[in-house]
Amino acid sequence: MNRRYRFLLTPRWLGWLALCLLFAVACSFLAQWQMDRREQALEEIDRVVSNYDAAPVPYASVRGSFVDPAADDEWTVVEMTGSYRPQDMRLVRNRSDGGSVGYEQLVPFAVEDADDVVIVSRGWLPTASEDGSRPATNPAPPEGTVELTVRLKPGEPAIDRGAPEGQLASIDLSAYAEQIGVELMPGAYGRMAEEHPAPAQAPEQLSRPSMDEGPHLSYTMQWYAFGALGFVGWGYAARLHARTRDAEALAAEEDDRHAAVAASPQERMKQARRLERLRRGRPSDEDLEDAAVEESLVDR
């Protein structure tokens, strides 16, 4: 190591370097967390691309997915025939769609020839009051035999929040089944795509899922950059410290010059050459050793 920077081996400067290393490790973990979130977002986008606009499949072929859905089953397009149970309709509170908050209408659907009841989300309803306590409308589902095309969605977890009678805080299928006393398909529900016959009034269709992966990649790069900046700052501080020491040595040399005026011509020439080396930032090994001795004396 250049003798000019030997001070970097002191405990104080090594301690700052260790702190920079710890900061870089923390930034690396945060960067990896953002990268994992990006991977999750890309997986969700891939499922939308693969399933959302695919040809519908019969309910019987994917019945198991309504019991225990896999991650890749989400948005599978399913056809089924049966009839609604409007007496067990529920509204899910605080549902956002297109930047607005309203309700999602849920109606149990008895699947024909399967003895199964599947929850169907018929769509979104805007609120009609300032406090959001009721929807503007709540159209009834069609009566009799209905043909549905839905997209499979896994049920939602319970949340620690109550709801008025006839409403739910989330699409928690087990809580829904317990509330109405009907055995429901426990793993997934269907989000409405089409229903025949089409009713005169119906809830608004929920928006297509976003295909935006979010800012996770840029955040990842930012965290890596922050980790590197810690070392850059440490190096810059070390350079400033070295320059400060050189300046202090130069000032001391100026003081010595006055004392050397009465000395011999050889001594004055030696002092002048040393001073010139310090001005140019090219101290000799002897100069650096003298500066180190002087610094040790000051530290005492």
Side-chain angles (χ1 to χ4, degrees), residues 39-122:
E39 290 296 328
Q40 294 172 5
L42 291 176
E43 289 176 1
E44 292 177 4
I45 291 173
D46 287 342
R47 282 194 289 271
V48 174
V49 172
S50 300
N51 298 340
Y52 197 87
D53 295 316
V57 297
Y59 171 80
S61 65
V62 292
R63 181 182 182 277
S65 297
F66 283 91
V67 176
D68 184 19
D72 290 340
D73 293 334
E74 187 174 12
W75 303 116
T76 299
V77 186
V78 182
E79 289 181 330
M80 52 188 180
T81 302
S83 59
Y84 284 112
R85 295 173 55 93
Q87 69 274 19
D88 294 324
M89 177 193 300
R90 292 292 185 272
L91 298 175
V92 191
R93 299 170 56 83
N94 300 318
R95 308 299 281 196
S96 177
D97 188 66
S100 299
V101 178
Y103 292 84
E104 201 168 338
Q105 187 193 76
L106 304 182
V107 188
F109 186 82
V111 182
E112 190 175 77
D113 300 329
D115 198 27
D116 294 335
V117 178
V118 176
I119 295 300
V120 173
S121 169
R122 296 188 65 233

Side-chain angles (χ1 to χ4, degrees), residues 6 40 81 109 124 144 160 174 193 226 249 252:
R6 281 187 174 178
Q40 294 172 5
T81 302
F109 186 82
W124 183 83
D160 187 16
S174 60
F226 290 156

Side-chain angles (χ1 to χ4, degrees), residues 230-291:
F231 294 105
V232 173
W234 182 82
Y236 181 70
R239 184 171 178 81
L240 287 180
H241 185 71
R243 286 183 175 180
T244 300
R245 292 180 61 198
D246 291 345
E248 291 173 350
L250 183 61
E253 201 63 34
E254 289 283 357
D255 295 337
D256 293 342
R257 184 175 63 83
H258 296 290
V261 170
S264 65
Q266 293 83 358
E267 183 65 24
R268 290 200 299 269
M269 181 63 69
K270 179 180 177 181
Q271 294 291 349
R273 289 175 178 173
R274 184 182 180 192
L275 185 60
E276 182 64 22
R277 289 194 299 270
L278 291 173
R279 283 200 185 100
R280 294 184 178 183
R282 298 178 181 176
S284 66
D285 291 344
E286 183 181 356
D287 298 335
L288 293 172
E289 290 175 357
D290 292 342

